[in-house]
Amino acid sequence: MKIGIVGSGMVGSAAGYAMALMGVGTRIVLVDAEPAMARAQAQDIAHATPFASTVAIHAGDYTDLKDAAVVVIAAGVSQKPGESRLALLERNVAVFQSVISGIMQHAPNAILLIASNPVDVMTFAAQRISGLPPERVIGSGTILDTARFRSLLGEHLAIAPSSIHAYVLGEHGDSEVAVWSSAMAGSVPIISFADQIGRPLDAGARERIAEEVRSAAYTIIEGKGATWYGIGAGLARVARSIIDDENALFSVSQVSEEVEGVSDVALSLPRIVGARGIVANLMPDLDEGERAALKRSAVVISDYTSKLGF
């Protein structure tokens, strides 16, 4: 199956590279406002495929997106050091107007996978601009934050992150919510697991880990200007679930009718993703503090999307 990627900068090219190495889809098309950039990235990635897979990758334009099952949107202006994701709002919405027009003209049946920041606001904008059902416009949301959370927990507990089932919900940004009350290591609540192995997760440890998850992007941006490898792999993984109809569970963003009393808001919850897009939404068990934090996060996003005038 064909996958389109609009925006061949660091995030778009990292997603294409991860897809090529993982064997996601059969053909990847890179589209960019600077065609020379798309051609260069496609050639570079293509030269890696003999070591990994038979995925074909090349540059093209919007007409080459015809029959794409998934189109990743990674277009937009870059986040500056110290700039919050939500501060990118006005600069990126204008880009989306043009990009989505091109996609919908040539690939109206594609599922849109949004990577551009601020991703929750841009997911809302993409759904409104495209007119697609909300389940077919998926924001990368907190998939990377969740991966960071599990990685840090695995490091603290000295176990594989794949053995940890824990989520970050809400905004992909400063108001995100690391959920402890339903976090598990294997089949054991994570706090109990930590106590049993002599690596307790007291209040101080939990706050430290949650803060490291929140600040990870800023640390990386300070050091090298932007993040791309982690989110590239995350986008590839979600795309695989769509292409292969896996019905896998991810913390991704979607426009929801209501979350914690806030209506018409795009944020991350655990959601089942398959060939039709998001096929089910789940609400994990939350304590009162987590519910209040999730509502605050929803309000932060809603305050911005309400200004878009859709």
Side-chain angles (χ1 to χ4, degrees):
M1 286 190 179
K2 184 191 295 183
I3 299 172
I5 300 176
V6 179
S8 61
M10 298 311 300
V11 170
S13 62
Y17 181 59
M19 291 175 191
L21 293 189
M22 293 166 61
V24 179
T26 57
R27 182 181 175 198
I28 300 169
V29 179
L30 297 183
V31 178
D32 198 275
E34 298 183 17
M37 169 69 83
R39 287 194 298 271
Q41 298 283 31
Q43 288 178 21
D44 197 13
I45 296 169
H47 298 161
T49 58
F51 303 107
S53 73
T54 58
V55 174
I57 182 164
H58 63 89
D61 56 26
Y62 288 107
T63 61
D64 295 298
L65 298 179
K66 182 181 178 181
D67 298 325
V70 180
V71 176
V72 175
I73 302 180
V77 292
S78 299
Q79 187 175 15
K80 300 175 182 178
E83 182 181 31
S84 72
R85 292 180 177 89
L86 292 178
L88 294 171
L89 170 59
E90 293 183 357
R91 297 195 290 147
N92 272 330
V93 168
V95 174
F96 267 42
Q97 295 279 1
S98 174
V99 166
I100 292 174
S101 175
I103 295 170
M104 297 309 298
Q105 182 178 354
H106 298 286
N109 296 317
I111 291 171
L112 302 185
L113 184 51
I114 313 302
S116 305
N117 277 321
V119 71
D120 301 295
V121 179
M122 300 313 297
T123 300
F124 182 94
Q127 193 273 321
R128 290 298 192 267
I129 294 167
S130 68
L132 291 172
E135 63 270 18
R136 289 180 54 201
V137 182
I138 305 172
S140 58
T142 59
I143 55 169
L144 182 54
D145 308 275
T146 291
R148 290 167 176 160
F149 190 30
R150 294 177 181 182
S151 178
L152 289 167
L153 284 170
E155 182 179 326
H156 179 87
L157 299 173
I159 63 172
S162 58
S163 296
I164 295 170
H165 310 284
Y167 291 95
V168 176
L169 308 181
E171 179 202 2
H172 173 53
D174 296 338
S175 70
E176 66 186 25
V177 183
V179 177
W180 296 96
S181 60
S182 59
M184 308 284 282
S187 61
V188 181
I190 206 157
I191 304 301
S192 174
F193 183 96
D195 288 339
Q196 289 182 49
I197 65 169
R199 295 175 177 266
L201 281 165
D202 57 22
R206 295 198 298 273
E207 179 53 37
R208 174 185 60 78
I209 290 171
E211 178 55 32
E212 286 187 31
V213 173
R214 280 192 298 270
S215 63
Y218 297 112
T219 301
I220 294 169
I221 290 167
E222 182 67 27
K224 68 174 193 175
T227 66
W228 55 80
Y229 292 126
I231 189 59
L235 291 165
R237 183 64 188 88
V238 175
R240 167 174 277 175
S241 189
I242 297 169
I243 293 292
D244 294 344
D245 196 20
E246 290 184 358
N247 286 344
L249 193 65
F250 303 102
S251 57
V252 289
S253 188
Q254 178 196 337
V255 178
S256 299
E257 290 185 5
E258 183 272 333
V259 177
E260 292 299 326
V262 180
S263 60
D264 206 24
V265 62
L267 50 65
S268 287
L269 293 172
R271 306 182 194 271
I272 299 172
V273 179
R276 293 181 289 117
I278 293 172
V279 298
N281 304 285
L282 305 174
M283 177 62 76
D285 293 332
L286 305 176
D287 62 28
E288 290 186 7
E290 290 163 349
R291 284 194 176 278
L294 183 58
K295 181 172 183 175
R296 287 193 296 271
S297 191
V299 168
V300 166
I301 299 165
S302 181
D303 282 348
Y304 281 88
T305 56
S306 65
K307 301 172 185 176
L308 296 180
F310 292 110

